[in-house]
Amino acid sequence: CLDDEGKVHEFDSSWRTDDCNDCSCSRSGIDCCTSYATPVDYDEEKCESIFNKETCSYKVVEKDDHSKECPVHSWVG
């Protein structure tokens, strides 16, 4: 399989991209999906979501104080 970056992958192999997608290669081609959940139900006026590319995860924190996490009631992914 040849991925979007021009790298060759063996059949039945899997990998994580720099953009935090989990991909796998089979004889029918490459299949990729996000490796993280996205917060969708939180107080967007008071809080903001920040994506950490190193851990491939979101953190939801108060806009005025990033040391305080906000409750998230629903995630998708």
Side-chain angles (χ1 to χ4, degrees), residues 56-75:
C56 293
S57 63
Y58 277 99
K59 189 174 191 178
V60 180
V61 293
E62 290 185 9
K63 290 179 181 178
D64 297 333
D65 185 353
H66 284 190
S67 70
K68 295 181 181 177
E69 289 195 43
C70 296
V72 179
H73 306 290
S74 185
W75 298 77

Side-chain angles (χ1 to χ4, degrees), residues 13-59:
S13 66
S14 59
W15 65 96
R16 180 166 285 174
T17 68
D18 291 340
D19 293 331
C20 295
N21 289 314
D22 286 334
C23 299
S24 61
C25 169
S26 68
R27 295 201 182 275
S28 59
I30 293 178
D31 185 35
C32 296
C33 62
T34 58
S35 63
Y36 53 88
T38 303
V40 292
D41 186 8
Y42 61 92
D43 184 347
E44 293 187 34
E45 288 183 27
K46 180 181 175 185
C47 306
E48 64 183 332
S49 64
I50 299 173
F51 188 71
N52 182 333
K53 217 171 178 181
E54 288 183 17
T55 61
C56 293
S57 63
Y58 277 99
K59 189 174 191 178

